[in-house]
């Protein structure tokens, strides 16, 4: 979760940059400049690929549709997968439906079932906006990703092991949406 704060920190050298949603601060933010900035900063860090999913603050991306977002970020994933550098990625923008006004990609658990079931087996990297909800436990168990990159829950920023999967909660912004968790 960077919430339009991409210019406030440096992306370290990387082969692949993974963004787990909430590029935008509010639903009404114009997305193209932010998408281009992510692509540009990632390229400056040496990244050959940017893998990205939307989040609940990314309503503009949801309205644009995956095909339009992929014109700027070819590996934008919306309940589908891609391969980069020999790694199999799958991305899902889902987060639990709440009363928040920022409700892009939010669904009930029941309505999200098709999205969760679409995660393939034998996966290297799972990228999701919310990776801490219990619905992800059976998905991780079945798909066996080595890495699960997620965001959404700012105060859970960090790394932990869930079964055989390393989960990285990559929220750069804290609960006040300040870029302090670098």
């Amino acid at each position: 979760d960077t919430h339009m704060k991409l210019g406030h920190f440096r992306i370290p050298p990387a082969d692949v940059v993974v963004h787990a949603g909430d590029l935008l601060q509010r639903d009404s933010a114009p997305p193209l400049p932010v998408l281009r900035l992510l692509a540009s900063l990632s390229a400056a860090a040496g990244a050959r690929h940017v893998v990205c999913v939307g989040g609940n603050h990314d309503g503009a991306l949801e309205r644009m549709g995956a095909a339009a977002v992929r014109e700027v970020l070819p590996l934008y994933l919306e309940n589908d997968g891609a391969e980069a550098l020999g790694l199999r990625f799958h991305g899902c923008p889902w987060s639990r439906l709440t009363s928040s006004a920022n409700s892009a990609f939010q669904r009930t658990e029941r309505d999200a079932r098709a999205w969760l079931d679409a995660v393939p087996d034998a996966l290297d990297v799972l990228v999701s906006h919310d990776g801490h909800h219990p619905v992800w436990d059976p998905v991780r168990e079945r798909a066996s990703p080595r890495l699960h990159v997620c965001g959404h829950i700012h105060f859970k920023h960090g790394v932990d092991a869930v079964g055989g999967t390393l989960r990285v909660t990559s929220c750069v912004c804290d609960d006040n949406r300040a870029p302090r968790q670098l």
Side-chain angles (χ1 to χ4, degrees), residues 32-70:
L32 286 177
V34 179
L35 296 173
R36 289 183 185 119
L37 181 60
L38 176 59
S40 172
L41 292 173
S42 298
R48 297 184 349 212
H49 303 282
V50 178
V51 177
C52 180
V53 299
N56 62 298
H57 283 263
D58 297 327
L61 301 184
E62 187 173 39
R63 287 188 300 278
M64 283 177 69
V69 176
R70 287 183 184 130

Side-chain angles (χ1 to χ4, degrees), residues 8-20:
H8 295 258
F9 59 91
R10 185 181 71 80
I11 297 174
D15 293 318
V16 178
V17 169
V18 178
H19 195 290

